[in-house]
Amino acid sequence: AANGCETNVTVTPAHCGACGAACSLANATAGCAAGACTVASCNPGFGNCDGNAANGCETNLNTSNASCGVCGRACAAGQVCSAGACTSVCSAPTSYCSGSCVNLSTDPSNCRACGTICAAPPNATALCVAGTCGGACRSGFGDCNNSMTDGCEANLGTSRPHCGGCGRVCAPANATGACSGGACGIASCNAAYGDCNR
């Protein structure tokens, strides 16, 4: 309370529309405008071709036959999109899967083999790294037990054992801690103690 209402929730991606409502968009850097998540920029090789911020930059411009290199540029019949260019064959290191050229080492929809889809772990987005499925934590969450079996299990905004980061325990002296927005505070002081210096 000492610093008042410090966050503008209409423009802050980590608290967009409400405290703790972090924007996390696929293949994109998120923005926040009027309390709603927006696409600030797409990751290289991806495009927001449907104009819908909710699903981020959903199109892989390196492999999409409908949007090859840029949104809306379709490859002609008999061609495939490889490395953002329409061609008759897939260029290394990509492979041909269901009408598109994909990298089996990095494509979460074709990980190691065509059609092998990586499921997104809890509080994470699906990844394919060197042909093995994994995940990347969404903003505000952490994989503090180093196991993607349960995904990114720690809410870094509210977890006292992991307040603002894995292993950052919120335990003020002579008090019960409270973690809010990733910052440690005091929920209550122990009997006979007070936070007199605030």
Side-chain angles (χ1 to χ4, degrees):
N3 63 354
C5 298
E6 81 292 341
T7 302
N8 185 339
V9 296
T10 64
V11 296
T12 306
H15 307 281
C16 192
C19 290
C23 294
S24 179
L25 304 179
N27 308 310
T29 297
C32 179
C37 294
T38 62
V39 174
S41 63
C42 290
N43 293 350
F46 291 88
N48 181 22
C49 296
D50 63 1
N52 180 8
N55 61 359
C57 298
E58 80 294 339
T59 303
N60 188 330
L61 302 176
N62 289 316
T63 61
S64 172
N65 289 339
S67 295
C68 188
V70 295
C71 290
R73 185 167 67 191
C75 293
Q79 290 186 322
V80 292
C81 183
S82 179
C86 293
T87 180
S88 58
V89 294
C90 295
S91 304
T94 61
S95 301
Y96 185 80
C97 292
S98 301
S100 296
C101 295
V102 299
N103 190 327
L104 300 179
S105 294
T106 60
D107 187 349
S109 297
N110 300 278
C111 193
R112 191 180 293 274
C114 291
T116 301
I117 300 173
C118 295
N123 304 314
T125 55
L127 289 180
C128 177
V129 180
T132 301
C133 289
C137 291
R138 293 178 181 166
S139 177
F141 292 89
D143 177 24
C144 296
N145 62 3
N146 295 315
S147 172
M148 269 294 158
T149 302
D150 57 356
C152 300
E153 79 291 343
N155 186 328
L156 304 180
T158 60
S159 172
R160 287 197 301 170
H162 308 288
C163 189
C166 289
R168 292 179 57 183
V169 180
C170 179
N174 306 310
T176 298
C179 182
S180 177
C184 185
I186 295 174
S188 62
C189 291
N190 293 350
Y193 287 87
D195 180 22
C196 297
N197 65 0
R198 297 188 181 276

